[in-house]
């Protein structure tokens, strides 16, 4: 069984992504690479560590991703990554509307607008005194904002306990292996591979798993990222980087 993270309908010209990205566009690609990697890592942890899942696994993976962004990065960096992670869901909403796609209420993932607001709420909830500007800028409705601190505390308790159990700086081996198994000859693909590798290396400093986990950057023929329990492998498809690069060019036209 494969658990797909974000299956997207992408129609890109053959030359898409070859041109340089502005710094702003590159930041967007990097932020989403990080968020997507941690979403997939959640699927891997649920499988490898046999974690209980109460509710939709996809929602749990989104929660884990935004928590890790907050835990692992300094305030300014985590806010920027959270902002662009939300932007990623915003772009998916825009793209679906432009293409006339109806929201996929039947899908295992929440619809992109829900994922957007959940991301904003959970990040805001991590520090409501300091992050009201973040919530305002991203349009978090007041009605939702009231529960974000509580939602975040529950998420911290749930995933925090899991992370505490996995933390072992004195472990005897690296549990994550990284393989770049595709050409990374465009700016977006380079960022995708570099960020994935950097997160794997950072996790190897402290993370201990019951069994090793393979992380592979590969060509898949579609813009996707997924965890495969049968091989205990996260695949980060380079076509997803192409999609993010294209999205960045649309979202940030003036750089
Ligand atoms: Zn997923």
């Amino acid at each position: 069984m494969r658990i797909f993270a974000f299956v997207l309908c992408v129609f890109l010209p053959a030359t898409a992504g070859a041109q340089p990205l502005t710094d702003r566009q590159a930041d967007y690609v990097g932020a989403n690479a990080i968020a997507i990697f941690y979403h997939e890592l959640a699927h891997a942890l649920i499988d490898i560590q046999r974690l209980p899942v109460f509710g939709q696994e996809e929602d749990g993976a989104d929660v884990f991703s935004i928590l890790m962004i907050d835990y692992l990065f300094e305030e300014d960096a985590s806010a920027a990554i959270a902002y662009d992670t939300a932007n990623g869901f915003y772009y998916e909403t825009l793209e679906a509307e432009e293409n006339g796609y109806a929201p996929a209420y039947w899908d295992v993932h929440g619809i992109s607008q829900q994922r957007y607001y959940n991301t904003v709420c959970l990040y805001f909830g991590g520090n409501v005194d300091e992050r009201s500007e973040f919530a305002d800028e991203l349009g978090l409705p007041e009605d939702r904002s009231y529960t974000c601190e509580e939602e975040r505390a529950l998420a911290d308790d749930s995933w925090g306990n899991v992370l505490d159990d996995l933390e072992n700086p004195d472990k005897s081996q690296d549990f994550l292996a990284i393989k770049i198994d595709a050409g990374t000859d465009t700016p977006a693909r380079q960022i995708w591979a570099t960020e994935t590798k950097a997160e794997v290396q950072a996790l190897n400093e402290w993370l201990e798993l019951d069994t090793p986990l393979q992380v592979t950057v590969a060509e898949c023929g579609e813009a996707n990222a997924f965890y495969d329990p049968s091989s205990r492998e996260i695949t980060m498809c380079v076509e997803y980087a192409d999609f993010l690069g294209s999205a960045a060019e649309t979202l940030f036209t003036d750089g």
Side-chain angles (χ1 to χ4, degrees):
M1 182 184 67
R2 281 179 165 188
I3 301 167
F4 289 86
F6 308 97
V7 180
L8 299 165
C9 299
V10 184
F11 304 97
L12 296 169
T15 55
Q19 62 272 42
L21 298 171
T22 65
D23 288 349
R24 183 67 190 90
Q25 291 165 346
D27 286 347
Y28 174 85
V29 174
N32 278 278
I34 291 166
I36 291 162
F37 171 72
Y38 281 116
H39 176 104
E40 297 311 322
L41 182 63
H43 288 309
L45 294 181
I46 287 166
D47 175 53
I48 291 172
Q49 303 301 126
R50 308 228 168 276
L51 303 179
V53 179
F54 306 110
Q56 290 299 101
E57 181 174 341
E58 294 299 340
D59 292 344
D62 282 349
V63 170
F64 179 78
S65 178
I66 193 65
L67 290 183
M68 290 297 275
I69 288 164
D70 203 357
Y71 294 159
L72 298 177
F73 294 87
E74 299 291 338
E75 181 72 16
D76 285 354
S78 71
I81 297 168
Y83 187 96
D84 275 353
T85 302
N87 257 327
F89 294 126
Y90 169 74
Y91 180 79
E92 287 180 27
T93 305
L94 276 186
E95 195 202 30
E97 282 174 359
E98 277 185 18
N99 288 302
Y101 301 141
Y105 296 114
W106 46 264
D107 194 46
V108 292
H109 304 90
I111 58 174
S112 298
Q113 280 165 306
Q114 289 179 306
R115 299 176 77 182
Y116 172 92
Y117 287 116
N118 289 339
T119 297
V120 175
C121 179
L122 282 169
Y123 187 76
F124 166 64
N127 189 347
V128 295
D129 293 331
E130 305 284 332
R131 296 176 181 171
S132 54
E133 204 173 308
F134 174 91
D136 288 345
E137 193 172 339
L138 290 172
L140 184 70
E142 208 175 334
D143 281 350
R144 177 66 183 273
S145 70
Y146 296 135
T147 59
C148 293
E149 195 167 20
E150 242 175 72
E151 290 180 56
R152 173 57 187 262
L154 183 60
D156 284 332
D157 282 349
S158 305
W159 278 111
N161 285 333
V162 170
L163 291 170
D164 286 348
D165 289 345
L166 299 178
E167 184 168 4
N168 180 8
D170 301 323
K171 66 197 173 37
S172 57
Q173 67 174 94
D174 287 345
F175 282 87
L176 285 81
I178 177 79
K179 184 168 64 171
I180 310 296
D181 204 15
T184 54
D185 50 352
T186 66
R189 288 185 179 202
Q190 279 171 16
I191 294 165
W192 181 254
T194 301
E195 293 294 354
T196 301
K197 191 174 179 181
E199 296 313 308
V200 165
Q201 288 172 337
L203 289 168
N204 272 331
E205 297 294 316
W206 60 272
L207 189 75
E208 183 172 53
L209 301 175
D210 285 353
T211 59
L213 171 65
Q214 176 67 45
V215 179
T216 305
V217 174
E219 283 192 20
C220 309
E222 63 182 0
N224 201 0
F226 55 88
Y227 171 68
D228 185 346
S230 66
S231 55
R232 294 209 170 93
E233 181 175 20
I234 291 172
T235 300
M236 300 282 286
C237 308
V238 287
E239 293 87 346
Y240 208 147
D242 300 338
F243 171 78
L244 292 173
S246 172
E249 288 166 8
T250 302
L251 288 169
F252 309 107
T253 49
D254 58 357

